Amino acid sequence: MCSATRRTFVAGALAVITAACSAPDEQSAPRAATVEAALEASLAFGDDTARVIVNLRPAPKGASFAERRAHHRRLQDDLVEAYGSGFTPLRRFEHVPALAGTVTKATLERMRSDPNVTYIQLDGAGRGQAAESPAAIALGDDEVKSTYGVTGRGVTVAVLDTGVVTNHPDLKSSVVAQHCFTQYDCPPSHTAEGTSAEDDHGHGSNVAGIITSDGVVAPPGFAPDADIVAVKIDDQNDAGQISDWVAGLDWVYSNLSTLKVRVMNLSICSTSLYADAASCDAGQPALAAAVKNLVDAGVVIFSASGNQGSTSQTSAPACNTGVIAVGATYDADVGHQPPGTSTYAARWGSEFADCADATTMFDQITCFTNSNERVDIVAPGAPMLSDSLNDGTETYWGTSQASPVGAGVAALLLQCDPGLSPADIESAMIATGVPRRDPKNGLMFPSLRALDVVRSVCFKSDAGAGQGGTAGAGGSTAGVGAGGGGAGGATIGSAGATPVGASGSSSGAGGTLVGAGGFAAGGFTAAGGATSSAGGVIGASGAMGAGTPFGGTAAAGFGGQGGGVMAEADGSASAGCNCAVPGSSSDPDAGRLAGVGVALGALSRRRRRRA
């Protein structure tokens, strides 16, 4: 859903947002509240009232669950009582120190000096990130399901979107709970909150189908046996308010003990864009707090990076700390995109970038994808056939469709190992992804490989099967060594002898460390690889040589200690990097990646069904 919005962005808002104060704790000295520049501009242009989110002082550090909830309720009640008719509350949150409502210009001036108020922002709008067309492209993962029997059974995924068609032939077996928070658009009586999340747009059903379609009408989802908690937070126009999104997140958190949600998909995007997680959290503190509650509780959250084609910013909640931000790739060679000869913006409106891709191929990053260093992975998002209204199907383009690919694969991993943390899942996806360059800015991103990441987590003894071939520079055994990921850690490179993580699997306690700090601007670098909690090193020096981007010549290979090198700018390679490409792909790299023999699983199926 995360889409370029159709709302107007007020110039200059980001500068103030990035400088917004971090909320003080209970004992901090009072200080004036920060007011978002966009809100200042709205009232300066003559509006007498504004729809806002008022962020309040958080509870003291170390406060218990019950104490935090009581603190939030007390400050919310105090605010409503203090400002009377000048502030009309519209949405309260149980576990987030904030509330939403309508404020008058005069009351806003009084709130600036309220010691309980930290930041006042416009209750911004957002929407889904997709457009429709009759084309149909299959999606799913045959081999993960048919060969290994991993289907997401026993895992519950929350989908916060426009809702779900609860009686759809592909979805009715999966929906186990539902709720709604919208601006007086909750079915059936157009209320602000309700117990029905029935979809009246189609976007939410499309997203849910990518995760868990039974394959009766549309292609099967990535995790067809996963359960769905449907939370409607966007209306029939695929638009919503930030406060409704926070309310939906807060409701899931409040009910975790009964809902048992482990994965969440947020195909939604704010109007404002942010350069990094720090400015994103500061600009959207209520959203950041709601996300943090869930991630700290073990819920892995995926969100679309947005469709504006930015080369330096992404939207919230994708940019919030703890969220796995997902960009979109093409599913195959589908010719000029968008269909025809026009640009995305010309065809589907201003929520898309004014760009086009004259030629396309499997794994190519779409021109509309927002991409910067905050994006974690990329996955198929254009074009994607899935479920829709009236028990039918629809094909969408968008980062909204890439995000649920990640969510569905996460459900597969959690079926195998319920003890995985959000950081474990992210690390495993990055470690097994195939590097792809975004030509807009030259940044490299790991392209999700469902089969490889499932093998690495679920079937560690199988992790090296089919990934061998010619050893790289000095490496006698390429790929992941036999038994990789076992008690001593997954092994990559020379004879499969270099442990990934000090102990545990590649996604276990040892975590994964490629180099020393994450995807750097130019790709994995010796001083900048992906990290997780306890560490561990892939190879002696980790990464692909000293700062060498993927696609160029590497010193020690992705696996270090001579375990295979990614050579030449054309992407040819000896083995040793834990990656795979589909044999049927139109990607020119496919025939030149020597020794990488694993079929792609979910990402390799295409064009098997048409609407």
Side-chain angles (χ1 to χ4, degrees), residues 133-138 206 216-219 384-388 391-396 607-611:
S133 163
I137 301 297
N206 187 277
V216 177
V217 178
M384 296 290 277
L385 173 72
S386 186
D387 300 301
S388 191
D391 297 342
T393 65
E394 201 152 24
T395 298
Y396 279 69
R607 295 191 183 279
R608 287 180 48 198
R609 297 179 78 111
R610 289 196 174 272

Side-chain angles (χ1 to χ4, degrees), residues 152-159 176 226-229 252-253 255-265 294-302 322 324 406-425:
R153 186 177 301 279
V155 180
T156 302
V157 182
V159 176
V176 295
D227 291 329
I228 291 291
V229 172
V252 173
Y253 180 71
N255 293 280
L256 275 181
S257 62
T258 55
L259 297 176
K260 310 296 184 185
V261 169
R262 292 299 312 278
V263 184
M264 177 175 288
N265 188 77
L294 289 159
V295 174
D296 287 349
V299 178
V300 57
I301 302 176
F302 294 82
I324 298 178
V409 173
L412 302 178
L413 302 182
L414 285 165
Q415 178 187 350
C416 299
D417 186 353
L420 294 173
S421 71
D424 293 335
I425 292 170

Side-chain angles (χ1 to χ4, degrees), residues 102-153:
T102 302
V103 67
T104 64
K105 186 182 299 186
T107 300
L108 177 66
E109 293 305 313
R110 293 172 55 203
M111 280 188 181
R112 290 178 190 270
S113 58
D114 191 321
N116 289 330
V117 176
T118 61
Y119 179 55
I120 309 170
Q121 64 183 101
L122 275 175
D123 186 0
R127 58 181 303 107
Q129 291 289 285
E132 303 86 8
S133 163
I137 301 297
L139 56 113
D141 179 2
D142 280 343
E143 191 167 352
V144 168
K145 295 189 283 285
S146 62
T147 302
Y148 295 109
V150 182
T151 60
R153 186 177 301 279

Side-chain angles (χ1 to χ4, degrees), residues 194-475:
T195 57
S196 171
E198 200 64 40
D199 192 359
D200 51 7
H201 177 273
H203 187 278
S205 298
N206 187 277
V207 165
I210 293 172
I211 297 170
T212 191
S213 168
D214 286 340
V216 177
V217 178
F222 280 77
D225 288 335
D227 291 329
I228 291 291
V229 172
V231 185
K232 182 175 174 61
I233 55 168
D234 276 358
D235 62 20
Q236 61 186 344
N237 297 312
D238 193 21
Q241 301 294 135
I242 299 295
S243 59
D244 294 333
W245 301 357
V246 176
L249 293 164
D250 196 49
W251 179 83
V252 173
Y253 180 71
S254 296
N255 293 280
L256 275 181
S257 62
T258 55
L259 297 176
K260 310 296 184 185
V261 169
R262 292 299 312 278
V263 184
M264 177 175 288
N265 188 77
L266 303 174
S267 288
I268 52 179
C269 290
S270 63
T271 308
S272 301
L273 301 180
Y274 303 91
D276 51 38
S279 60
C280 183
D281 292 347
Q284 298 290 346
L287 199 57
V291 163
K292 185 177 187 302
N293 286 339
L294 289 159
V295 174
D296 287 349
V299 178
V300 57
I301 302 176
F302 294 82
S303 185
S305 69
N307 297 342
Q308 296 97 322
S310 175
T311 60
S312 60
Q313 297 177 315
T314 56
S315 61
C319 55
N320 287 121
T321 299
V323 176
I324 298 178
V326 188
T329 61
Y330 289 108
D331 185 76
D333 178 355
V334 288
H336 186 286
Q337 293 295 311
T341 58
S342 63
T343 67
Y344 279 99
R347 187 175 180 92
W348 285 307
S350 60
E351 69 260 28
F352 267 88
D354 189 18
C355 70
D357 287 308
T359 59
T360 55
M361 64 178 67
F362 171 76
D363 245 8
Q364 176 183 332
I365 296 174
T366 64
C367 70
F368 59 74
T369 291
N370 289 343
S371 92
N372 66 356
E373 288 84 352
R374 180 62 190 84
V375 174
D376 298 295
I377 60 173
V378 293
M384 296 290 277
L385 173 72
S386 186
D387 300 301
S388 191
L389 302 179
N390 302 315
D391 297 342
T393 65
E394 201 152 24
T395 298
Y396 279 69
W397 281 248
T399 54
S400 276
Q401 279 51 57
S403 181
V405 173
V409 173
L412 302 178
L413 302 182
L414 285 165
Q415 178 187 350
C416 299
D417 186 353
L420 294 173
S421 71
D424 293 335
I425 292 170
E426 180 181 1
S427 294
M429 289 181 171
I430 290 173
T432 56
V434 175
R436 288 293 178 248
R437 184 187 303 277
D438 187 342
K440 298 193 302 293
N441 52 20
L443 297 180
M444 303 296 294
F445 303 102
S447 182
L448 183 62
R449 291 295 186 262
L451 183 57
D452 286 354
V453 71
V454 167
R455 277 178 165 165
S456 75
V457 171
C458 303
F459 304 96
K460 297 180 178 67
S461 62
D462 248 4
Q467 295 190 43
T470 307

